[in-house]
Amino acid sequence: MSEDNKQLRWYNVALIAFVAVWGLGNVVNNYALQGPSVITSWVLIMALYFVPYALIVGQLGSAFKDEAGGVASWIRNTSTKRLAYYAAWTYWVVHVPYLAQKPSGILVSLSWLFQGNGKFVNEVDSRIVSLIALVIFLVFLWLASRGLTTLNRIGSVAGTAMFVMSLLFILLAVSAPFMAHAPVATARLDRLKTYLPNFDLGYFASISMLVFAVGGAEKISPYVNRTKNAAKEFPRGMLVLALMVAVCALLGSFAMALLFDANHLPKDLMANGAYMAFAKLGGYYHVGNVFVVLYALAQAMAQISALAFSIDAPLRILLGDADPEFVPAGLAKLDGRGTPTRGYMMTGILVGLLIMVPTLGIKNMNVLYNWMLNLNAVVMPMRYLWVFLAYILLNQQLAKFPSAYRFVKSKVLGMAIGAWCLLFTAFACILGMVPKVAYAKDPSSWWFQLSLNIVTPVILLALGLILPAIARRHRGAAKQG
């Protein structure tokens, strides 16, 4: 790429990455799990994980600037085709719980938009909601198979709106005690002890949600070589990104403490927290439900677009550059519209099962919503493991893959940082499997959730071992024929 085409500056990179990585839900979900002590957790996760993660992605993107396949391409270049297939499979299959969770999020948004409250998750039976969610998913699966692109354009508008609403939330909430004379909900916010976590099992089980919140930096990799003076400006952009995320996380969590008493948090805070926060702010500033309606509208559009996009894009990454040695030719076959029909069927079956099976042991809609969100925090970060493995392998072959930008000059230090991030991610995923509900209140539900948290990722990853066996059998049959 010529220097004339390298137009992005560090501030452009930081803004692009911020919109892609951050959202208000990250603040609400982690405050629901940790309360004000999450502020300390944010500081630790930024310094020890997010900054090196973002800069690692910078070097990988620079070293493989001509590769469009992301993590799978990085693994294929530094290792083997088989590992590259498993990386691509992981990237696709972790979206299954994500797709299963989106319809219920859409229903929550629509409930607030048309009813003006969050009673939906507390009053409706989980089996009914799951049936409705399944219908919504199947409708969007069909729409995505028809090549509907309008929803992606809506999503970009909604994403910008969500970004604006997130900043507006912080501005309004932090200034509410001074401008609107709003009461401070959480006591003793002036004491250091309020912000210190208890480093027990419950705390470590919640780390996966923090990792989930700051993950996804590999989306930024295509911009490395579009950055002017990438060696200097890209890391500067990443550091500014980390600063922006840190400020939003810290101020956002403090704002949540101002609005919600940490000692008496609503049980439905994960599902309804953002809406309840905007409802309170609307009351403080005497504008009624204006903020709630705006946020619900933006959230509904963003979730709808994300559902449609996440059905199609990860599947095309898996099948688009599929090696017939590992992926059966029939699965990657396209119809007249260029749609991988059998791939869509595989997606529909897996997501449908994950929507309906949990209702066998989880009857409460709010508990089901929280569980699905926590399952995503366990499963989604598994794709980040391949990023760090690729970085470790890259450091073993630095002479073979030169890059305009390098995170650290030392090969040994680079491998050590990659290993730290990989092990930390694995640690967060494994401990994240511990259910976030009190065992004493409902032991049977606790064990059911733990079983699902362990079995679901194991089955999803193990399914990736089946496709190469099927492909091998098909190739054998073709040769005999």
Side-chain angles (χ1 to χ4, degrees):
M1 183 178 288
S2 67
E3 288 298 321
D4 293 337
N5 292 325
K6 295 185 175 183
Q7 299 297 327
L8 294 180
R9 301 297 304 274
W10 59 268
Y11 43 85
N12 302 128
V13 172
L15 285 171
I16 291 169
F18 184 75
V19 174
V21 170
W22 194 247
L24 180 57
N26 297 326
V27 172
V28 175
N29 296 335
N30 283 286
Y31 183 81
L33 291 175
Q34 295 189 25
S37 65
V38 76
I39 290 175
T40 301
S41 299
W42 283 124
V43 173
L44 294 174
I45 203 79
M46 293 296 163
L48 299 177
Y49 185 77
F50 183 56
V51 171
Y53 179 10
L55 297 179
I56 281 171
V57 166
Q59 183 170 344
L60 286 164
S62 181
F64 305 109
K65 57 183 180 293
D66 298 322
E67 297 286 348
V71 178
S73 298
W74 301 342
I75 293 291
R76 185 171 60 248
N77 278 280
T78 55
S79 183
T80 64
K81 290 191 298 181
R82 181 174 293 275
L83 270 185
Y85 157 72
Y86 290 132
W89 173 265
T90 304
Y91 184 86
W92 173 74
V93 85
V94 298
H95 281 82
V96 169
Y98 181 79
L99 291 171
Q101 190 261 336
K102 280 297 167 190
S104 58
I106 293 171
L107 289 173
V108 171
S109 298
L110 295 178
S111 171
W112 279 93
L113 189 59
F114 294 111
Q115 290 186 303
N117 60 59
K119 293 180 180 179
F120 181 79
V121 297
N122 296 312
E123 295 180 351
V124 183
D125 187 277
S126 65
R127 288 164 292 189
I128 295 174
V129 174
S130 293
L131 281 171
I132 299 172
L134 180 60
V135 171
I136 290 174
F137 170 73
L138 292 176
V139 167
F140 279 98
L141 185 70
W142 179 78
L143 288 174
S145 72
R146 310 290 291 183
L148 191 66
T149 57
T150 306
L151 292 175
N152 294 337
R153 289 193 286 271
I154 292 173
S156 64
V157 174
T160 304
M162 288 292 292
F163 170 60
V164 172
M165 293 300 292
S166 297
L167 298 181
L168 184 65
F169 164 73
I170 294 172
L171 180 64
L172 293 175
V174 172
S175 59
F178 310 102
M179 294 181 64
H181 307 291
V184 176
T186 304
R188 295 186 288 276
L189 288 179
D190 57 338
R191 297 186 184 181
L192 180 63
K193 187 178 180 181
T194 305
Y195 304 98
L196 297 180
N198 293 318
F199 294 103
D200 53 14
L201 179 61
Y203 175 81
F204 288 112
S206 69
I207 288 178
S208 61
M209 190 66 76
L210 292 165
V211 173
F212 180 38
V214 299
E218 63 275 5
K219 298 173 187 174
I220 310 162
S221 60
Y223 299 101
V224 179
N225 290 287
R226 291 171 56 188
T227 306
K228 188 174 182 179
N229 193 0
K232 289 186 178 179
E233 296 224 2
F234 187 83
R236 185 183 302 169
M238 290 297 94
L239 290 172
V240 171
L241 164 67
L243 180 63
M244 291 168 66
V245 170
V247 168
C248 287
L250 297 175
L251 289 180
S253 299
F254 184 72
M256 288 294 291
L258 294 175
L259 296 174
F260 297 98
D261 184 355
N263 298 310
H264 301 91
L265 292 177
K267 292 180 180 179
D268 58 345
L269 191 63
M270 281 190 175
N272 290 323
Y275 304 96
M276 290 190 289
F278 277 116
K280 286 191 175 190
L281 291 172
Y284 294 154
Y285 289 96
H286 309 292
V287 294
N289 270 351
V290 171
F291 297 143
V292 172
V293 171
L294 289 175
Y295 182 76
L297 192 60
Q299 180 77 331
M301 288 195 302
Q303 301 241 30
I304 287 170
S305 175
L307 177 58
F309 181 77
S310 296
I311 287 171
D312 189 67
L315 186 63
R316 290 188 184 274
I317 289 174
L318 173 65
L319 303 179
D321 191 25
D323 191 319
E325 186 178 341
F326 306 106
V327 178
L331 188 63
K333 187 178 180 180
L334 305 178
D335 65 9
R337 294 188 184 88
T339 300
T341 308
R342 292 182 182 176
Y344 270 62
M345 289 176 62
M346 179 174 68
T347 303
I349 291 169
L350 290 177
V351 174
L353 287 171
L354 195 52
I355 288 176
M356 296 308 302
V357 168
T359 60
L360 298 175
I362 304 175
K363 308 301 182 187
N364 181 276
M365 167 56 188
N366 183 56
V367 174
L368 180 64
Y369 184 95
N370 291 348
W371 170 78
M372 191 69 78
L373 194 59
N374 280 292
L375 178 66
N376 272 285
V378 171
V379 176
M380 266 293 186
M382 289 180 177
R383 65 188 170 126
Y384 313 152
L385 295 171
W386 293 103
V387 175
F388 304 127
L389 177 60
Y391 184 65
I392 293 170
L393 295 171
L394 175 65
N395 274 278
Q396 293 177 338
Q397 310 167 62
L398 285 175
K400 186 179 177 182
F401 303 107
S403 58
Y405 163 67
R406 281 177 62 179
F407 172 27
V408 291
K409 303 295 183 185
S410 168
K411 172 180 174 179
V412 175
L413 180 59
M415 292 178 66
I417 294 173
W420 153 254
C421 289
L422 188 147
L423 291 172
F424 183 81
T425 305
F427 171 80
C429 290
I430 292 169
L431 279 185
M433 294 176 181
V434 177
K436 310 302 185 294
V437 295
Y439 176 82
K441 288 185 178 180
D442 193 349
S444 61
S445 178
W446 191 93
W447 281 109
F448 183 74
Q449 290 188 44
L450 179 64
S451 301
L452 284 179
N453 288 345
I454 295 172
V455 169
T456 302
V458 169
I459 289 178
L460 292 178
L461 294 176
L463 286 172
L465 301 175
I466 297 174
L467 291 189
I470 297 173
R472 188 163 54 248
R473 192 178 69 181
H474 284 186
R475 289 199 314 276
K479 287 179 181 179
Q480 291 176 3

